[in-house]
Amino acid sequence: MIKFEGVDKIYQQKNTQIHALNQINLQIKQGEIYGVIGLSGAGKSTLLRMVNYLERPTNGEVIIDGKRLSECTAPELRLIKKDIGMIFQHFNLLESKTIAHNVALPLILAKKNKQEIKARVEELLAFVGLSDKAKSYPSELSGGQKQRVGIARALALSPKILLCDEATSALDPQTTQSILGLLKKVNAEYGITIMLITHEMSVIQKVCNKVAVIEQGQLIEQGSVLDVFGHPKHPITRNFVQTVVRTEIPDNIIRRLKVQNINILSRLEMVGEHATEPILATLVNRFHLDVSVVFTNMTEIQDTTLAIWYVELIGNELDKQAAIAFLGEQKVRYKEVDVS
């Protein structure tokens, strides 16, 4: 659906070249909600703007639905852009126009007839829960309501792709949850592929299937949200993950372990239904081990439970090895961790 092949973006500032993007290879499949996360200035907005060719790559290719944008004529690009909707951080509504007119604007520019425009606007305002605000003006709406208008406007021409440029960063936490729920509804009911950029890992946690992490123009990590949250490989990714999910032992606990001369722990990771099974009780009862829980965290990611336990297993070596084999059979990821 969306593919970046060896994409570079270089800006020339006087005698200096700035590499905003460096050899980006990324594929977003149809129907996915794909999050791109990075700190300010990492290059994520530049990457997003490549999709509708507001930014053009210095090198490499952007491919939309099998079409290489660099090979498209101007009329072909216009047709492709009609299939791409966009919502913004600061809403970008026309303050002097009614909510209905704001939603209708893409349809007016596309020269649709009045009856079709009226029906589509009514449908979209009902979809985003703002049927009673058609005659209101943006100044009369809350931030969350304005973003709902922005989403309705972006859906006006029935796009295949929706680009979200920090769509929730100007909103309070409760409103953010409401907007993320609406984006999931857009994806589920209309089958629209969503590419979302953010600097908040909680947004990725709530709504995305896949995630890519960008740092200084480079793609440093990508994969399913569950895999990246459970096994962040890069220090930047680990820092992002730790803002919403504690996958590592806090420093104060490590200091206590050192005082107790405990150097090796067992890390158990359980996903989905396995996260709520009595695994530790089985280790005690069936394998005659003493299990000392040092640290644990359980969280929900995309309606799936992720549980991480750090425990000390105490018992004879044969029982331990039998227990580890059992954990593998139960699809529990096991790893010994040196905390010395």
Side-chain angles (χ1 to χ4, degrees):
M1 188 62 170
I2 304 171
K3 194 173 183 180
F4 301 91
E5 286 186 348
V7 168
D8 293 331
K9 182 62 180 181
I10 302 172
Y11 294 104
Q12 189 73 37
Q13 287 190 354
K14 295 182 180 180
N15 297 323
T16 304
Q17 285 190 338
I18 298 174
H19 285 254
L21 295 173
N22 190 352
Q23 284 296 296
I24 300 294
N25 292 287
L26 181 65
Q27 185 168 356
I28 300 172
K29 296 179 181 178
Q30 183 174 351
E32 287 184 331
I33 305 180
Y34 206 113
V36 179
I37 190 166
L39 300 172
S40 296
K44 55 189 186 295
S45 291
T46 302
L47 184 68
L48 186 84
R49 289 162 64 87
M50 294 274 181
V51 177
N52 54 12
Y53 244 37
L54 294 175
E55 293 279 0
R56 301 195 177 202
T58 306
N59 300 298
E61 291 285 349
V62 180
I63 303 167
I64 305 296
D65 215 7
K67 300 179 180 68
R68 293 176 177 266
L69 299 190
S70 65
E71 298 174 359
C72 291
T73 63
E76 287 172 337
L77 279 175
R78 284 195 291 272
L79 285 175
I80 290 170
K81 288 182 178 183
K82 283 185 179 180
D83 284 334
I84 302 172
M86 192 164 185
I87 60 174
F88 305 89
Q89 177 180 358
H90 296 298
F91 322 127
N92 290 7
L93 303 180
L94 298 176
E95 295 293 330
S96 62
K97 300 296 183 181
T98 65
I99 297 310
H101 190 100
N102 270 278
V103 176
L105 190 58
L107 298 161
I108 295 169
L109 294 174
K111 299 181 179 179
K112 303 292 184 181
N113 66 62
K114 288 185 178 180
Q115 187 175 356
E116 185 179 353
I117 291 173
K118 183 176 182 295
R120 182 63 173 157
V121 169
E122 288 177 355
E123 175 192 347
L124 289 170
L125 287 179
F127 181 81
V128 300
L130 293 175
S131 293
D132 60 333
K133 301 295 183 182
K135 295 181 181 179
S136 300
Y137 288 84
S139 60
E140 301 173 286
L141 270 56
S142 67
Q145 289 172 327
K146 289 178 183 178
Q147 194 58 286
R148 286 176 176 270
V149 176
I151 292 171
R153 179 185 58 192
L155 297 175
L157 294 175
S158 302
K160 296 178 182 178
I161 296 169
L162 182 62
L163 305 178
C164 303
D165 186 2
E166 297 278 9
T168 61
S169 61
L171 305 175
D172 63 76
Q174 184 174 351
T175 306
T176 291
Q177 297 307 311
S178 172
I179 294 300
L180 293 179
L182 179 57
L183 290 177
K184 289 181 75 171
K185 181 181 175 184
V186 167
N187 174 258
E189 296 194 18
Y190 290 132
I192 294 175
T193 303
I194 298 177
M195 182 178 176
L196 177 153
I197 66 167
T198 183
H199 61 274
E200 300 172 282
M201 205 63 169
S202 59
V203 171
I204 302 293
Q205 177 189 13
K206 293 292 184 182
V207 76
C208 296
N209 316 118
K210 300 277 186 68
V211 61
V213 185
I214 289 187
E215 172 65 11
Q216 295 182 344
Q218 293 186 315
L219 184 60
I220 59 174
E221 199 157 346
Q222 61 179 302
S224 74
V225 171
L226 267 175
D227 283 343
V228 172
F229 271 65
H231 303 275
K233 298 178 178 65
H234 194 279
I236 292 290
T237 310
R238 286 197 290 271
N239 288 340
F240 275 125
V241 170
Q242 294 304 312
T243 63
V244 290
V245 181
R246 270 287 188 179
T247 61
E248 298 180 2
I249 306 172
D251 290 341
N252 66 309
I253 295 179
I254 289 178
R255 287 194 293 270
R256 192 179 72 216
L257 294 172
K258 288 180 178 178
V259 171
Q260 298 172 344
N261 291 319
I262 297 173
N263 299 318
I264 301 295
L265 292 177
S266 298
R267 184 185 190 275
L268 313 182
E269 179 186 318
M270 292 157 270
V271 177
E273 61 185 22
H274 299 288
T276 55
E277 291 177 353
I279 297 292
L280 299 188
T282 304
L283 298 184
V284 173
N285 296 326
R286 184 185 301 182
F287 299 99
H288 313 295
L289 299 176
D290 289 331
V291 181
S292 176
V293 177
V294 174
F295 177 74
T296 184
N297 183 277
M298 186 176 290
T299 191
E300 189 175 89
I301 301 171
Q302 280 293 291
D303 302 322
T304 300
T305 303
L306 171 66
I308 294 173
W309 297 72
Y310 287 90
V311 301
E312 185 183 14
L313 298 180
I314 303 168
N316 72 60
E317 195 59 31
L318 287 176
D319 288 337
K320 283 185 184 179
Q321 292 306 313
I324 292 169
F326 165 77
L327 291 173
E329 294 169 0
Q330 299 301 308
K331 297 183 180 180
V332 177
R333 290 184 176 179
Y334 174 90
K335 180 182 178 182
E336 282 196 350
V337 179
D338 189 340
V339 293
S340 61

